[in-house]
Amino acid sequence: MRCVIIAGSPDAEINFIAEQVKGCNYLICADKGYEYAKKAGIKPDLIVGDFDSYSGELPDDCEIIKLNSHKDDTDLLHCIGVALSRGYDDFLILAATGGRFDHTFANISTLMYLDKKGAKGEIVSSREIIRFLKKGEYKINDCKGKTFSVFPFACESVNVTYIGAEYSADNLVLTAEDAMGVSNIFTTDKAAVKINYGNAIFILNSVVN
């Protein structure tokens, strides 16, 4: 089942958020994410946070989990933990990039956490989609002309094969200390990225070149 989480990035795109949450099974707001939900005219199923970034009124007709500000996990990670415990295994995370880089990096790290828990997830904005990839082949459809990047994540290197890319690769080793995996372009609507070993963060830009 799919769970949508609205995080608290200052770069939140209200109209985009409103479109993305349509038809979701379960909607959680992480702290300031509730402010964005209100602006988008969306009613969440759950609000979670220590409320250090949202100080407005909270609704009476919604489940709320208030966290201690002195805690070991982020508001977003706590949201994920609650949703996993309730049977959700497919996550769409919004308003999770931009603003402070440490927050963005922590949010991207949750994608690997989801994989470790047997779930999947992606961070999405109007500009890009971010996914965690482990060993396997991933079909990329209908993305001709879009730019993508692949970087090792939580490992020294990742071995990749690209099918249908401007800069082709077959068992190419990308190391953590260089940026060779940045800014490739899909040249066909039926492409693929194969991770032969290692872990990677995959970033697909939404704009066609």
Side-chain angles (χ1 to χ4, degrees):
M1 294 190 295
R2 167 158 279 207
C3 173
V4 177
I5 301 176
I6 304 175
S9 168
D11 290 347
E13 305 159 295
I14 303 304
N15 291 337
F16 182 80
I17 288 171
E19 285 296 318
Q20 292 296 308
V21 302
K22 289 180 179 178
C24 74
N25 300 112
Y26 196 66
L27 175 62
I28 303 177
C29 291
D31 209 312
K32 192 177 179 66
Y34 177 58
E35 178 180 317
Y36 305 145
K38 286 199 300 182
K39 290 180 179 179
I42 303 163
K43 181 181 177 181
D45 297 290
L46 172 65
I47 304 171
V48 175
D50 55 16
F51 301 106
D52 61 346
S53 59
Y54 176 77
S55 57
E57 293 185 3
L58 294 170
D60 298 324
D61 58 348
C62 176
E63 182 184 3
I64 298 171
I65 297 177
K66 293 186 177 181
L67 306 175
N68 191 312
S69 60
H70 292 77
K71 57 188 188 301
D72 294 329
D73 55 2
T74 64
D75 292 339
L76 175 60
L77 187 58
H78 198 94
C79 290
I80 288 172
V82 172
L84 287 169
S85 72
R86 297 180 181 184
Y88 294 92
D89 59 2
D90 183 8
F91 289 79
L92 175 66
I93 303 171
L94 306 171
T97 57
R100 284 175 47 178
F101 179 74
D102 54 346
H103 287 180
T104 296
F105 189 86
N107 292 341
I108 291 173
S109 296
T110 64
L111 299 177
M112 185 174 181
Y113 175 84
L114 283 169
D115 179 79
K116 295 290 186 181
K117 295 296 183 179
K120 62 180 180 179
E122 57 185 13
I123 293 174
V124 178
S125 72
S126 65
R127 301 177 298 276
E128 61 205 4
I129 297 171
I130 305 173
R131 297 174 180 148
F132 171 79
L133 305 184
K134 60 183 179 182
K135 184 177 180 179
E137 183 171 333
Y138 300 85
K139 303 293 185 183
I140 311 295
N141 296 320
D142 302 320
C143 289
K144 182 179 180 179
K146 292 185 178 181
T147 301
F148 72 96
S149 300
V150 178
F151 302 107
F153 192 75
C155 58
E156 292 185 0
S157 64
V158 62
N159 183 294
V160 300
T161 296
Y162 301 145
I163 301 169
E166 180 171 331
Y167 300 98
S168 61
D170 186 12
N171 287 292
L172 172 67
V173 176
L174 303 175
T175 59
E177 65 268 19
D178 64 39
M180 193 188 307
V182 71
S183 295
N184 208 329
I185 301 173
F186 288 119
T187 57
T188 175
D189 279 328
K190 291 186 177 181
V193 172
K194 185 177 180 181
I195 306 298
N196 302 306
Y197 69 72
N199 303 316
I201 288 296
F202 169 79
I203 304 170
L204 175 66
N205 293 295
S206 300
V207 178
V208 175
N209 289 311

